[in-house]
Amino acid sequence: MELNEEDLKMLNSKIGLKHLLAHKKVDLKEALTATRYELTLREIQAELVKMQLWIIANNMKVMLLFHGGDPSEKSGIIRKILSHNNPRHYRVEVNLPHRSQKTNGEWYFKKFVEKLPQEGEMVFWDRSWYNRAVIEPVHGLCTQKEYEMFMEQVNAFEKMLTDSGITLIKFYFNISRKEHSRRLKEVKKSPLTKWKMTPFDEHSKELWAEYKNYKEKMISQTHTEHAPWIEINKERREEEMIEAARQLLSLIPYGKD
């Protein structure tokens, strides 16, 4: 592997040396990739802090939705984005799918309305109301009528949110079927992460086509001018995070007034 002057400078830095010596067998390419990622991440996290300060100062209300296949790094990406931000001015909400759901006649969106962002606050949803667009119909967690009602109401619901002054950002993380399988095997193999496996994960490979079909319907029918979907198409976890953070920074006009 040929290294230019910039590569050598990075590898000779504290961060570069850390990654060079991280494993018994030195891998220059992997060490250089990891060093570049960490340096880029530090720059982006500094910008994310500036962005949050601007959101607070301008009383903005920001809501971000994170969706994707089961092994996509939604929760990890959220943690990286927020790792240096002020926790008093953001919340992370999780909407986990459940096999047994009580239908008590409440409006489906009610529980999400109760957790809308306040002025100067960001709310991150690790899965959101869009569970009803993909996961629930695939696994029989909602009826066909409930699914169709959701698809009829969701665009109007989001228009009400944006008309009320909420900045709504919707991310969907796409990975290939091959990468999907690789990540699932990695999760199952590691004693530190195998607890993350759920029945949904176990059946996700055999339901790939059905997931894809519902996902494509969701994107085509709910990609609107007031609340468009931002699709992230990256195979590496690090690239997913960097792309999502850059997209977020580009959508908030901090430091531009």
Side-chain angles (χ1 to χ4, degrees):
M1 178 182 177
E2 291 186 13
L3 301 174
N4 58 37
E5 189 176 337
E6 184 183 352
D7 294 337
L8 289 170
K9 186 177 180 180
M10 278 196 290
L11 289 174
N12 279 305
S13 67
K14 287 184 179 180
I15 295 173
L17 290 171
K18 177 185 73 175
H19 290 294
L20 271 173
L21 303 174
H23 306 284
K24 289 182 180 180
K25 186 177 180 180
V26 174
D27 186 329
L28 285 176
K29 184 177 180 181
E30 189 61 34
L32 191 57
T33 298
T35 302
R36 283 175 177 156
Y37 167 67
E38 186 168 341
L39 290 171
T40 302
L41 180 61
R42 289 188 177 199
E43 292 177 4
I44 285 176
Q45 287 174 331
E47 291 302 308
L48 288 166
V49 170
K50 293 179 188 176
M51 180 198 74
Q52 187 190 32
L53 292 173
W54 187 89
I55 288 171
I56 296 168
N58 288 273
N59 293 321
M60 280 191 70
K61 295 176 286 185
V62 181
M63 178 175 278
L64 302 99
L65 315 185
F66 287 73
H67 281 269
D70 289 318
S72 59
E73 294 293 303
K74 300 177 292 295
S75 57
I77 290 168
I78 292 171
R79 284 196 302 271
K80 287 286 187 182
I81 286 176
L82 295 172
S83 58
H84 293 283
N85 287 83
N86 186 340
R88 292 189 294 273
H89 293 275
Y90 72 73
R91 281 183 285 124
V92 178
E93 305 286 352
V94 181
N95 184 34
L96 294 175
H98 299 287
R99 287 199 173 278
S100 58
Q101 294 191 354
K102 295 180 180 178
T103 54
N104 54 11
E106 284 189 348
W107 183 43
Y108 177 72
F109 295 101
K110 180 177 181 291
K111 64 180 178 180
F112 302 103
V113 172
E114 292 169 348
K115 296 180 180 179
L116 293 178
Q118 303 299 310
E119 289 186 345
E121 185 181 42
M122 297 184 290
V123 175
F124 289 69
W125 277 98
D126 184 352
R127 301 189 189 280
S128 69
W129 48 84
Y130 279 105
N131 278 358
R132 179 145 292 183
V134 181
I135 295 176
E136 290 187 17
V138 168
H139 290 279
L141 302 179
C142 69
T143 65
Q144 181 65 20
K145 182 179 179 180
E146 287 170 332
Y147 166 75
E148 290 173 359
M149 184 180 297
F150 170 84
M151 295 300 285
E152 289 173 2
Q153 294 180 349
V154 64
N155 289 340
F157 171 69
E158 292 177 355
K159 186 68 166 60
M160 287 189 285
L161 296 183
T162 57
D163 283 350
S164 71
I166 293 173
T167 297
L168 181 61
I169 300 170
K170 305 188 302 192
F171 287 116
Y172 196 94
F173 296 87
N174 295 302
I175 55 175
S176 66
R177 193 167 191 168
K178 180 179 178 181
E179 176 65 9
H180 176 273
S181 297
R182 189 194 70 77
R183 291 190 188 183
L184 281 181
K185 288 177 183 177
E186 186 181 80
V187 170
K188 289 178 74 173
K189 185 178 179 181
S190 172
L192 300 176
T193 59
K194 62 182 180 181
W195 61 269
K196 295 181 179 181
M197 289 296 294
T198 69
F200 300 106
D201 298 316
E202 295 287 358
H203 298 295
S204 60
K205 286 199 293 183
E206 60 197 68
L207 294 170
W208 179 269
E210 200 168 351
Y211 267 113
K212 184 180 179 183
N213 179 47
Y214 275 104
K215 176 258 177 176
E216 289 176 351
K217 284 182 182 177
M218 177 188 76
I219 296 292
S220 65
Q221 295 180 36
T222 65
H223 179 81
T224 60
E225 185 177 349
H226 58 273
W229 280 100
I230 299 169
E231 294 192 69
I232 307 293
N233 301 293
K234 300 291 183 181
E235 294 290 271
R236 289 178 63 94
R237 292 181 171 94
E238 297 86 356
E239 292 177 351
E240 286 180 318
M241 187 274 151
I242 295 296
E243 179 64 19
R246 282 176 171 161
Q247 290 283 353
L248 171 57
L249 290 169
S250 72
L251 293 168
I252 304 297
Y254 73 104
K256 298 169 188 174
D257 38 310

